[in-house]
Coordinates of all heavy atoms in Angstrom, one line a residue:
M91 N -18.3 130.1 60.4 CA -17.6 129.5 61.6 C -16.7 130.6 62.2 O -16.0 131.1 61.4 CB -16.8 128.3 61.3 CG -16.2 127.6 62.5 SD -15.2 126.2 62.0 CE -15.8 125.0 63.1
A92 N -16.9 130.8 63.5 CA -16.1 131.8 64.1 C -14.6 131.2 64.4 O -14.3 130.1 64.5 CB -16.7 132.2 65.5
M93 N -13.7 132.2 64.4 CA -12.3 132.0 64.6 C -12.1 131.8 66.1 O -12.6 132.2 66.9 CB -11.4 133.1 64.3 CG -11.0 133.3 62.9 SD -9.3 133.7 62.8 CE -9.1 133.6 61.1
E94 N -11.3 130.7 66.4 CA -10.9 130.3 67.6 C -9.5 131.0 68.0 O -8.6 131.1 67.2 CB -10.6 128.8 67.8 CG -10.3 128.4 69.2 CD -11.4 128.4 70.1 OE1 -12.6 128.5 69.8 OE2 -11.1 128.5 71.4
R95 N -9.5 131.6 69.2 CA -8.3 132.4 69.6 C -7.4 131.5 70.4 O -7.8 130.9 71.4 CB -8.7 133.7 70.4 CG -7.4 134.4 70.9 CD -7.9 135.7 71.7 NE -8.0 136.7 70.7 CZ -8.2 138.0 71.1 NH1 -8.0 138.3 72.5 NH2 -8.3 139.0 70.3
M96 N -6.2 131.4 70.0 CA -5.0 130.9 70.9 C -4.1 132.1 71.2 O -3.8 133.0 70.5 CB -4.2 130.0 70.1 CG -4.8 128.6 69.8 SD -3.6 127.6 69.0 CE -4.5 126.2 68.5
T97 N -3.7 132.1 72.6 CA -2.8 133.3 73.0 C -1.6 132.7 73.4 O -1.5 131.6 74.3 CB -3.5 134.0 74.1 OG1 -4.7 134.6 73.7 CG2 -2.6 135.2 74.5
I98 N -0.4 133.3 73.1 CA 1.0 132.9 73.5 C 1.4 134.0 74.4 O 1.4 135.2 73.9 CB 1.9 132.6 72.4 CG1 1.3 131.4 71.5 CG2 3.2 132.3 72.9 CD1 2.2 131.3 70.3
V99 N 1.5 133.8 75.7 CA 2.1 134.8 76.6 C 3.6 134.6 76.8 O 4.0 133.6 77.3 CB 1.3 134.7 77.9 CG1 1.9 135.8 78.8 CG2 0.0 134.9 77.8
G100 N 4.4 135.5 76.3 CA 5.8 135.3 76.2 C 6.3 135.0 74.8 O 6.0 133.9 74.3
L101 N 6.8 136.0 74.1 CA 7.2 135.8 72.6 C 8.6 135.8 72.4 O 9.1 136.1 71.3 CB 6.5 137.0 71.9 CG 5.0 137.0 72.0 CD1 4.5 138.3 71.3 CD2 4.3 135.7 71.3
G102 N 9.4 135.2 73.4 CA 10.8 135.0 73.1 C 11.0 133.8 72.2 O 10.2 133.4 71.5
L103 N 12.2 133.1 72.5 CA 12.6 132.0 71.6 C 11.5 131.0 71.7 O 11.1 130.3 70.6 CB 13.9 131.4 72.1 CG 14.5 130.3 71.3 CD1 14.8 130.7 69.8 CD2 15.7 129.9 72.0
I104 N 11.0 130.5 72.8 CA 10.1 129.4 73.0 C 8.7 129.8 72.4 O 8.2 129.2 71.6 CB 10.0 128.9 74.4 CG1 11.4 128.2 74.8 CG2 8.9 127.9 74.5 CD1 11.5 127.8 76.2
G105 N 8.2 130.9 73.0 CA 6.9 131.3 72.5 C 6.8 131.8 71.0 O 5.8 131.3 70.3
G106 N 7.9 132.4 70.5 CA 8.0 132.6 69.1 C 8.0 131.3 68.2 O 7.4 131.3 67.2
S107 N 8.8 130.5 68.7 CA 8.9 129.1 68.0 C 7.5 128.3 67.9 O 7.2 127.8 66.9 CB 10.0 128.2 68.7 OG 11.2 128.7 68.4
L108 N 6.8 128.4 69.1 CA 5.5 127.8 69.1 C 4.6 128.4 68.1 O 3.8 127.7 67.5 CB 5.0 127.9 70.6 CG 5.4 126.8 71.6 CD1 5.0 127.2 72.9 CD2 4.9 125.5 71.2
G109 N 4.6 129.7 68.1 CA 3.7 130.5 67.1 C 4.0 130.1 65.7 O 3.2 129.9 64.9
L110 N 5.3 130.1 65.4 CA 5.7 129.6 64.0 C 5.3 128.3 63.7 O 4.9 127.9 62.6 CB 7.2 129.8 63.8 CG 7.8 131.3 63.8 CD1 9.2 131.3 63.8 CD2 7.3 132.0 62.5
A111 N 5.5 127.4 64.6 CA 5.0 125.9 64.4 C 3.6 125.9 64.2 O 3.1 125.1 63.3 CB 5.5 125.0 65.6
L112 N 2.7 126.6 65.1 CA 1.3 126.6 64.9 C 0.9 127.2 63.5 O 0.0 126.6 62.8 CB 0.6 127.4 66.0 CG 0.6 126.7 67.3 CD1 0.4 127.7 68.5 CD2 -0.3 125.5 67.4
K113 N 1.6 128.2 63.1 CA 1.3 128.8 61.8 C 1.6 127.9 60.6 O 0.9 127.6 59.7 CB 2.0 130.1 61.6 CG 1.6 131.3 62.7 CD 0.1 131.6 62.5 CE -0.1 132.5 61.4 NZ -1.6 133.1 61.3
A114 N 2.8 127.2 60.8 CA 3.1 126.2 59.8 C 2.2 125.0 59.7 O 2.1 124.3 58.6 CB 4.5 125.6 60.1
A115 N 1.5 124.8 60.7 CA 0.5 123.6 60.9 C -0.7 123.9 60.0 O -1.6 123.1 59.7 CB 0.2 123.3 62.3
K116 N -0.9 125.2 59.7 CA -2.1 125.7 58.9 C -3.4 125.2 59.4 O -4.2 124.7 58.7 CB -1.9 125.3 57.4 CG -0.6 126.0 56.8 CD -0.6 125.6 55.4 CE 0.8 125.9 54.7 NZ 1.1 127.1 54.3
I117 N -3.5 125.4 60.8 CA -4.8 125.0 61.3 C -5.9 126.0 60.9 O -5.7 127.2 61.1 CB -4.7 125.0 63.0 CG1 -3.5 124.2 63.4 CG2 -6.0 124.7 63.7 CD1 -3.1 124.3 64.8
P118 N -7.0 125.5 60.5 CA -8.0 126.5 59.9 C -8.7 127.2 61.0 O -9.0 126.6 62.1 CB -9.0 125.6 59.1 CG -8.8 124.2 59.6 CD -7.3 124.2 60.2
D119 N -9.2 128.4 60.9 CA -10.0 129.2 61.7 C -9.4 129.4 63.1 O -10.1 129.4 64.0 CB -11.4 128.6 61.9 CG -12.1 128.4 60.5 OD1 -12.0 129.4 59.7 OD2 -12.7 127.3 60.3
I120 N -8.2 129.6 63.1 CA -7.3 129.8 64.3 C -6.7 131.3 64.2 O -6.0 131.6 63.3 CB -6.2 128.8 64.6 CG1 -6.9 127.5 64.9 CG2 -5.4 129.3 65.8 CD1 -7.7 127.3 66.1
E121 N -6.9 132.1 65.3 CA -6.2 133.3 65.4 C -5.2 133.2 66.5 O -5.5 132.8 67.6 CB -7.3 134.5 65.7 CG -6.5 135.7 65.9 CD -7.4 136.9 66.4 OE1 -8.3 136.6 67.3 OE2 -7.3 138.0 65.9
I122 N -3.9 133.5 66.1 CA -3.0 133.4 67.2 C -2.6 134.8 67.6 O -2.1 135.6 66.9 CB -1.5 132.7 66.7 CG1 -2.0 131.3 66.3 CG2 -0.6 132.7 67.8 CD1 -0.9 130.5 65.6
V123 N -2.9 135.0 68.9 CA -2.5 136.3 69.6 C -1.3 136.4 70.4 O -1.2 135.3 71.3 CB -3.8 136.9 70.3 CG1 -3.5 138.2 71.1 CG2 -5.0 137.1 69.5
G124 N -0.5 137.3 70.5 CA 0.8 137.2 71.3 C 0.7 138.4 72.3 O 0.1 139.5 72.0
Y125 N 1.4 138.1 73.5 CA 1.6 139.1 74.5 C 3.0 139.0 75.0 O 3.4 137.9 75.3 CB 0.5 139.0 75.6 CG 0.9 139.8 76.7 CD1 0.6 141.2 76.7 CD2 1.6 139.4 77.9 CE1 0.9 142.2 77.8 CE2 1.9 140.3 79.0 CZ 1.6 141.5 78.9 OH 1.9 142.4 79.9
D126 N 3.6 140.0 75.2 CA 5.0 140.1 75.9 C 5.1 141.5 76.5 O 4.8 142.6 75.8 CB 6.1 139.9 74.8 CG 7.3 139.3 75.5 OD1 7.9 140.0 76.4 OD2 7.7 138.2 75.1
T127 N 5.8 141.6 77.5 CA 6.1 142.9 78.2 C 7.1 143.6 77.4 O 7.3 144.8 77.4 CB 6.4 142.8 79.7 OG1 7.5 141.9 79.7 CG2 5.2 142.3 80.4
D128 N 7.9 142.9 76.6 CA 9.0 143.4 75.8 C 8.4 143.8 74.5 O 8.2 142.9 73.6 CB 10.1 142.3 75.7 CG 11.4 142.8 74.8 OD1 11.2 143.8 74.2 OD2 12.3 142.1 74.9
T129 N 8.3 145.0 74.2 CA 7.8 145.5 73.0 C 8.5 145.0 71.8 O 7.9 144.7 70.7 CB 7.7 147.1 73.0 OG1 7.0 147.6 74.2 CG2 7.0 147.6 71.7
I130 N 9.7 144.9 71.8 CA 10.6 144.5 70.7 C 10.2 143.1 70.3 O 10.0 142.6 69.2 CB 12.1 144.7 70.9 CG1 12.4 146.2 71.0 CG2 12.9 144.0 69.7 CD1 13.8 146.6 71.5
A131 N 10.1 142.1 71.4 CA 9.8 140.8 71.2 C 8.5 140.7 70.6 O 8.2 139.9 69.6 CB 9.8 140.0 72.5
A132 N 7.4 141.5 70.9 CA 6.2 141.4 70.4 C 6.2 141.9 68.9 O 5.5 141.3 68.0 CB 5.2 142.4 71.2
V133 N 6.9 142.9 68.6 CA 7.0 143.3 67.2 C 7.7 142.4 66.4 O 7.3 142.1 65.2 CB 7.7 144.8 67.1 CG1 8.1 145.1 65.7 CG2 7.0 145.8 67.8
D134 N 8.7 141.8 66.9 CA 9.5 140.8 66.2 C 8.6 139.5 65.9 O 8.7 138.9 64.8 CB 10.7 140.2 66.8 CG 11.9 141.3 66.8 OD1 11.8 142.2 66.1 OD2 12.8 141.2 67.6
A135 N 7.8 139.2 66.8 CA 6.8 138.1 66.6 C 5.7 138.3 65.5 O 5.5 137.4 64.7 CB 6.2 137.5 67.9
R136 N 5.3 139.5 65.5 CA 4.4 139.8 64.5 C 4.9 139.9 63.1 O 4.5 139.4 62.1 CB 3.7 141.2 65.0 CG 2.4 141.5 64.2 CD 1.6 142.8 64.7 NE 2.5 143.9 64.7 CZ 2.9 144.6 65.8 NH1 2.5 144.1 67.0 NH2 3.6 145.6 65.6
R137 N 6.2 140.5 63.0 CA 6.8 140.7 61.8 C 7.2 139.2 61.2 O 7.2 139.0 60.0 CB 8.1 141.5 62.0 CG 7.7 143.0 62.0 CD 9.0 143.9 62.1 NE 8.7 145.2 62.1 CZ 9.4 146.1 62.6 NH1 10.6 145.8 63.1 NH2 9.1 147.4 62.7
S138 N 7.7 138.4 62.0 CA 8.1 137.0 61.6 C 6.9 136.2 61.3 O 7.1 135.1 60.6 CB 8.9 136.4 62.7 OG 8.2 135.9 63.7
G139 N 5.7 136.5 61.5 CA 4.5 135.7 61.3 C 4.2 134.6 62.4 O 3.3 133.8 62.1
A140 N 4.8 134.8 63.5 CA 4.6 133.8 64.5 C 3.2 134.1 65.3 O 2.7 133.1 65.8 CB 5.7 133.9 65.7
V141 N 2.7 135.2 65.2 CA 1.3 135.6 65.7 C 0.6 136.4 64.6 O 1.3 137.0 63.8 CB 1.5 136.3 67.1 CG1 2.0 135.5 68.1 CG2 2.2 137.7 66.9
D142 N -0.7 136.4 64.8 CA -1.5 137.2 63.8 C -1.5 138.7 64.3 O -1.6 139.6 63.4 CB -2.9 136.6 63.7 CG -2.9 135.3 63.0 OD1 -2.3 135.0 62.0 OD2 -3.5 134.3 63.6
K143 N -1.5 138.8 65.6 CA -1.6 140.1 66.3 C -1.0 140.1 67.6 O -1.0 138.9 68.2 CB -3.0 140.8 66.2 CG -3.9 140.3 67.1 CD -5.3 141.0 67.0 CE -6.3 140.5 68.1 NZ -7.4 141.4 68.1
T144 N -0.7 141.3 68.0 CA -0.2 141.3 69.5 C -1.2 142.2 70.3 O -1.8 143.1 69.6 CB 1.2 141.7 69.7 OG1 1.4 143.1 69.0 CG2 2.2 140.8 69.1
E145 N -1.3 142.0 71.4 CA -2.1 142.9 72.4 C -1.1 143.5 73.4 O -0.3 142.8 74.0 CB -3.1 142.1 73.0 CG -4.4 141.8 72.2 CD -5.2 143.0 71.8 OE1 -5.1 144.0 72.3 OE2 -6.2 142.7 71.0
P146 N -1.2 144.8 73.7 CA -0.3 145.4 74.7 C -0.8 145.1 76.2 O 0.0 145.4 77.1 CB -0.5 146.9 74.4 CG -1.9 147.0 73.8 CD -2.0 145.7 73.0
A147 N -2.0 144.6 76.3 CA -2.6 144.3 77.7 C -2.9 142.8 77.9 O -3.5 142.3 77.0 CB -3.8 145.0 78.0
L148 N -2.4 142.3 78.9 CA -2.5 140.9 79.1 C -3.9 140.4 79.1 O -4.4 139.4 78.5 CB -1.8 140.4 80.5 CG -1.8 138.9 80.7 CD1 -1.3 138.0 79.6 CD2 -1.1 138.7 82.1
Q149 N -4.8 141.1 79.9 CA -6.3 140.8 79.9 C -6.9 140.8 78.5 O -7.7 139.9 78.3 CB -6.9 141.8 80.9 CG -6.5 141.7 82.2 CD -7.4 140.6 83.1 OE1 -8.6 140.4 82.6 NE2 -7.0 140.1 84.1
R150 N -6.6 141.7 77.7 CA -7.1 141.7 76.4 C -6.5 140.6 75.5 O -7.3 140.1 74.7 CB -6.9 143.1 75.7 CG -7.7 144.1 76.2 CD -7.9 145.4 75.2 NE -6.7 145.7 74.5 CZ -6.1 146.9 74.6 NH1 -6.5 147.7 75.4 NH2 -5.0 147.0 74.0
A151 N -5.3 140.2 75.7 CA -4.6 139.1 75.0 C -5.3 137.8 75.4 O -5.5 136.9 74.4 CB -3.2 139.0 75.3
V152 N -5.7 137.6 76.5 CA -6.3 136.2 76.9 C -7.8 136.3 76.8 O -8.4 135.2 76.8 CB -5.9 135.8 78.4 CG1 -4.4 135.7 78.4 CG2 -6.4 136.7 79.4
A153 N -8.4 137.4 76.6 CA -9.8 137.4 76.4 C -10.4 136.6 75.3 O -9.8 136.7 74.2 CB -10.4 138.9 76.3
D154 N -11.3 135.8 75.6 CA -11.9 135.0 74.5 C -11.1 133.8 74.1 O -11.4 133.1 73.0 CB -12.5 135.7 73.4 CG -13.6 136.8 73.9 OD1 -14.4 136.4 74.7 OD2 -13.5 137.9 73.4
A155 N -9.9 133.7 74.6 CA -8.9 132.5 74.1 C -9.5 131.3 74.6 O -9.9 131.0 75.7 CB -7.6 132.8 74.5
G156 N -9.5 130.2 73.7 CA -9.8 128.8 74.1 C -8.5 128.3 74.7 O -8.7 127.2 75.4
L157 N -7.3 128.6 74.3 CA -6.0 128.1 74.7 C -5.2 129.1 75.0 O -5.0 130.1 74.2 CB -5.5 127.1 73.7 CG -4.1 126.7 73.8 CD1 -4.1 125.7 75.1 CD2 -3.6 125.9 72.8
V158 N -4.5 129.2 76.2 CA -3.4 130.2 76.5 C -2.1 129.3 76.8 O -2.3 128.4 77.6 CB -3.8 131.0 77.8 CG1 -2.6 131.9 78.1 CG2 -5.1 131.8 77.4
I159 N -1.1 129.6 76.2 CA 0.3 129.1 76.4 C 1.0 130.1 77.1 O 1.4 131.2 76.5 CB 0.8 128.5 75.0 CG1 -0.1 127.6 74.4 CG2 2.2 127.8 75.3 CD1 0.3 127.3 72.9
L160 N 1.6 129.7 78.3 CA 2.4 130.6 78.9 C 3.9 130.1 78.6 O 4.4 129.0 78.9 CB 2.3 130.4 80.6 CG 0.9 130.6 81.0 CD1 0.8 130.5 82.5 CD2 0.4 132.0 80.6
A161 N 4.6 130.9 78.0 CA 6.0 130.8 77.6 C 6.9 131.7 78.2 O 7.8 132.3 77.5 CB 6.1 130.8 76.1
T162 N 6.7 132.1 79.4 CA 7.6 133.1 80.2 C 8.5 132.4 81.0 O 8.4 131.2 81.3 CB 6.5 133.9 81.1 OG1 6.0 133.1 82.1 CG2 5.5 134.7 80.3
P163 N 9.5 133.2 81.5 CA 10.4 132.6 82.5 C 9.7 132.1 83.7 O 8.7 132.8 84.1 CB 11.4 133.7 82.8 CG 11.2 134.6 81.6 CD 9.9 134.5 81.1
I164 N 10.0 131.1 84.3 CA 9.3 130.6 85.6 C 9.2 131.7 86.6 O 8.2 131.7 87.2 CB 10.1 129.4 86.1 CG1 9.3 128.7 87.3 CG2 11.5 129.6 86.6 CD1 8.1 127.8 86.8
V165 N 10.1 132.6 86.8 CA 10.1 133.7 87.7 C 8.9 134.6 87.5 O 8.5 135.3 88.4 CB 11.4 134.4 88.0 CG1 12.5 133.4 88.4 CG2 11.8 135.1 86.7
A166 N 8.4 134.7 86.2 CA 7.3 135.5 86.0 C 5.9 134.9 85.9 O 4.9 135.5 85.9 CB 7.5 136.2 84.6
M167 N 6.0 133.6 86.0 CA 4.7 132.8 85.8 C 3.6 133.1 86.9 O 2.4 133.3 86.6 CB 4.8 131.4 85.7 CG 4.9 131.0 84.3 SD 4.9 129.2 84.0 CE 5.9 129.3 82.4
R168 N 4.0 133.2 88.0 CA 3.0 133.4 89.1 C 2.2 134.8 88.9 O 1.0 134.8 89.0 CB 3.7 133.4 90.5 CG 2.6 133.5 91.6 CD 3.1 133.3 92.9 NE 2.2 133.4 94.0 CZ 2.3 132.9 95.1 NH1 3.5 132.4 95.6 NH2 1.3 132.8 96.0
Q169 N 3.1 135.8 88.7 CA 2.5 137.0 88.4 C 1.6 137.1 87.2 O 0.5 137.6 87.3 CB 3.5 138.1 88.2 CG 2.9 139.6 88.1 CD 4.1 140.6 87.9 OE1 5.2 140.4 88.3 NE2 3.7 141.8 87.5
V170 N 2.0 136.4 86.1 CA 1.2 136.4 84.9 C -0.1 135.6 85.2 O -1.2 136.2 84.8 CB 2.0 135.7 83.8 CG1 1.1 135.3 82.7 CG2 3.1 136.5 83.3
M171 N -0.1 134.6 85.9 CA -1.3 133.8 86.2 C -2.3 134.7 87.1 O -3.4 134.7 86.8 CB -1.0 132.6 87.1 CG -0.4 131.5 86.2 SD -0.1 130.0 87.2 CE 0.7 129.0 86.2
E172 N -1.7 135.4 88.0 CA -2.6 136.3 88.8 C -3.2 137.4 88.0 O -4.3 137.7 88.2 CB -1.7 136.9 90.0 CG -1.4 136.0 91.1 CD -0.4 136.5 92.1 OE1 0.1 137.6 91.9 OE2 -0.1 135.7 93.0
E173 N -2.4 137.9 87.0 CA -2.8 139.1 86.2 C -3.9 138.7 85.3 O -4.8 139.5 84.9 CB -1.8 139.7 85.5 CG -0.8 140.6 86.4 CD 0.3 141.3 85.7 OE1 0.2 141.5 84.4 OE2 1.3 141.5 86.2
M174 N -3.9 137.5 84.7 CA -4.8 137.0 83.7 C -6.0 136.2 84.2 O -6.9 136.1 83.5 CB -4.0 136.1 82.7 CG -3.7 134.8 83.1 SD -2.9 133.9 81.7 CE -2.9 132.3 82.5
A175 N -5.9 135.9 85.5 CA -7.0 134.9 86.0 C -8.4 135.5 85.8 O -9.3 134.7 85.4 CB -6.7 134.7 87.6
G176 N -8.7 136.7 86.1 CA -10.1 137.2 85.9 C -10.4 137.5 84.5 O -11.6 137.6 84.1
G177 N -9.5 137.3 83.5 CA -9.9 137.6 82.1 C -10.1 136.5 81.3 O -10.4 136.6 80.1
L178 N -9.8 135.2 81.9 CA -10.1 133.9 81.1 C -11.5 133.7 81.0 O -12.3 133.7 81.8 CB -9.4 132.8 81.9 CG -7.8 133.0 82.1 CD1 -7.3 131.8 82.9 CD2 -7.0 132.9 80.7
R179 N -11.8 133.1 79.7 CA -13.1 132.7 79.5 C -13.4 131.3 80.1 O -12.4 130.6 80.5 CB -13.5 132.6 78.0 CG -12.9 131.4 77.3 CD -13.4 131.4 75.8 NE -13.3 130.0 75.4 CZ -13.3 129.7 74.1 NH1 -13.3 130.6 73.2 NH2 -13.2 128.5 73.8
E180 N -14.6 130.9 80.4 CA -15.0 129.7 81.0 C -14.5 128.6 80.0 O -14.6 128.6 78.8 CB -16.6 129.5 81.1 CG -16.9 128.4 81.9 CD -18.4 128.4 82.2 OE1 -19.0 129.5 82.2 OE2 -18.9 127.2 82.4
N181 N -13.9 127.6 80.7 CA -13.4 126.4 80.0 C -12.1 126.6 79.1 O -11.7 125.9 78.2 CB -14.5 125.7 79.1 CG -15.5 125.2 79.9 OD1 -15.4 124.7 81.1 ND2 -16.7 125.4 79.4
C182 N -11.5 127.7 79.3 CA -10.2 128.0 78.6 C -9.1 127.0 79.2 O -9.0 126.8 80.4 CB -9.8 129.4 78.9 SG -8.2 129.8 78.3
V183 N -8.3 126.5 78.3 CA -7.1 125.6 78.7 C -6.0 126.5 78.8 O -5.7 127.2 77.9 CB -7.0 124.5 77.7 CG1 -5.8 123.7 77.9 CG2 -8.3 123.7 77.5
V184 N -5.3 126.4 79.9 CA -4.0 127.1 80.0 C -2.9 126.1 80.3 O -3.0 125.2 81.1 CB -4.1 128.1 81.4 CG1 -2.8 128.6 81.5 CG2 -5.2 129.1 81.2
T185 N -1.9 126.2 79.6 CA -0.7 125.3 79.7 C 0.6 126.1 79.7 O 0.5 127.3 79.5 CB -0.7 124.2 78.5 OG1 0.3 123.3 78.8 CG2 -0.4 124.9 77.2
D186 N 1.7 125.5 79.9 CA 2.9 126.3 80.1 C 4.0 125.6 79.5 O 4.0 124.3 79.3 CB 3.1 126.6 81.6 CG 3.5 125.3 82.3 OD1 4.7 125.0 82.5 OD2 2.5 124.8 83.0
T187 N 5.2 126.2 79.3 CA 6.5 125.7 78.8 C 7.5 125.5 79.9 O 8.6 125.3 79.4 CB 6.9 126.4 77.6 OG1 7.2 127.7 78.1 CG2 5.8 126.4 76.5
A188 N 7.1 125.7 81.2 CA 8.1 125.6 82.2 C 8.8 124.2 82.4 O 8.2 123.4 82.2 CB 7.5 126.0 83.6
S189 N 10.0 124.4 82.8 CA 10.7 123.1 83.0 C 10.4 122.4 84.3 O 10.7 121.2 84.5 CB 12.2 123.3 82.8 OG 12.5 124.3 83.9
T190 N 9.7 123.0 85.1 CA 9.3 122.4 86.3 C 7.9 122.6 86.6 O 7.2 123.5 86.1 CB 10.1 123.1 87.6 OG1 9.6 122.6 88.8 CG2 9.7 124.7 87.6
K191 N 7.1 121.7 87.2 CA 5.7 121.7 87.3 C 5.0 121.9 88.7 O 4.0 122.4 88.8 CB 5.1 120.5 86.6 CG 5.4 120.3 85.2 CD 4.7 121.5 84.4 CE 5.1 121.4 82.9 NZ 5.4 122.6 82.4
G192 N 5.8 121.5 89.6 CA 5.3 121.5 91.0 C 4.8 123.0 91.4 O 3.8 123.2 91.8
L193 N 5.7 124.0 91.3 CA 5.4 125.3 91.7 C 4.3 125.9 90.8 O 3.4 126.6 91.2 CB 6.7 126.3 91.6 CG 7.5 126.3 92.8 CD1 8.7 127.0 92.7 CD2 6.7 126.7 94.1
V194 N 4.4 125.7 89.5 CA 3.4 126.0 88.5 C 2.1 125.6 88.8 O 1.1 126.4 88.7 CB 3.9 125.8 87.0 CG1 2.8 126.1 86.1 CG2 5.2 126.4 86.7
M195 N 2.0 124.3 89.2 CA 0.6 123.8 89.5 C 0.0 124.3 90.8 O -1.2 124.6 90.9 CB 0.7 122.3 89.6 CG 0.9 121.6 88.3 SD -0.3 122.0 86.9 CE -1.8 121.2 87.7
E196 N 1.0 124.6 91.8 CA 0.5 125.2 93.0 C 0.0 126.6 92.7 O -1.0 127.0 93.2 CB 1.7 125.3 94.0 CG 1.4 125.8 95.3 CD 2.7 125.8 96.3 OE1 3.4 124.8 96.3 OE2 2.8 126.9 97.0
W197 N 0.8 127.4 92.0 CA 0.3 128.7 91.6 C -1.0 128.7 90.8 O -1.9 129.6 91.1 CB 1.2 129.5 90.8 CG 2.6 129.7 91.6 CD1 2.8 129.9 92.8 CD2 3.9 129.8 90.9 NE1 4.2 130.1 93.1 CE2 4.9 130.0 91.9 CE3 4.4 129.8 89.6 CZ2 6.2 130.1 91.6 CZ3 5.7 130.0 89.4 CH2 6.6 130.1 90.4
A198 N -1.2 127.7 90.0 CA -2.4 127.6 89.1 C -3.6 127.3 90.1 O -4.7 128.0 89.9 CB -2.3 126.5 88.0
K199 N -3.4 126.5 91.0 CA -4.5 126.2 92.0 C -4.9 127.4 92.7 O -6.1 127.7 93.1 CB -4.1 125.1 93.0 CG -4.1 123.7 92.3 CD -3.6 122.7 93.3 CE -3.3 121.5 92.5 NZ -2.7 120.4 93.5
Q200 N -3.9 128.3 93.1 CA -4.3 129.5 93.9 C -5.1 130.4 93.0 O -5.9 131.3 93.4 CB -2.9 130.2 94.3 CG -2.3 129.3 95.3 CD -0.9 130.0 95.8 OE1 -0.5 131.0 95.3 NE2 -0.1 129.2 96.5

């Protein structure tokens, strides 16, 4: 059976915590990939075991993912969505941790 990829975009407090929770759940055959523009956050997430690996390029991080979780600040979400849009596989589920949904849903539709 092939590994299923989950990608967490944004590896700060929320994204890192999500990664640790997913790892603690011991879901079989899941690879958790992380992406963050902050190299230190990416290294810390990998060292803490929150992600299996990190990718330095957003398009590579989301490639082949069945689930992408956006855990970035709301001010970065639109740009992140635009950058990753062409790299998502068909039927990929994208969700977010933003505290507001109106703007996020509008950006997602675009």
Side-chain angles (χ1 to χ4, degrees):
M91 180 183 237
M93 277 228 171
E94 181 69 26
R95 177 182 273 200
M96 289 184 185
T97 300
I98 301 172
V99 179
L101 298 171
L103 182 60
I104 294 172
S107 295
L108 279 169
L110 288 171
L112 288 166
K113 296 301 278 183
K116 299 182 191 279
I117 303 167
D119 302 316
I120 294 294
E121 175 188 43
I122 301 174
V123 176
Y125 169 81
D126 202 301
T127 57
D128 180 347
T129 306
I130 294 171
V133 168
D134 287 346
R136 196 171 57 247
R137 283 187 182 154
S138 72
V141 296
D142 295 310
K143 71 177 189 177
T144 57
E145 286 286 353
L148 181 57
Q149 290 273 333
R150 283 202 323 244
V152 301
D154 300 320
L157 173 66
V158 174
I159 303 169
L160 303 180
T162 65
I164 188 74
V165 297
M167 259 187 216
R168 183 178 191 158
Q169 180 178 347
V170 167
M171 287 181 184
E172 290 172 354
E173 287 180 25
M174 71 178 193
L178 297 173
R179 81 174 199 200
E180 189 173 334
N181 298 319
C182 176
V183 174
V184 178
T185 190
D186 68 88
T187 61
S189 59
T190 181
K191 295 297 177 223
L193 280 175
V194 174
M195 291 304 294
E196 184 179 316
W197 297 332
K199 287 176 188 175
Q200 293 174 3

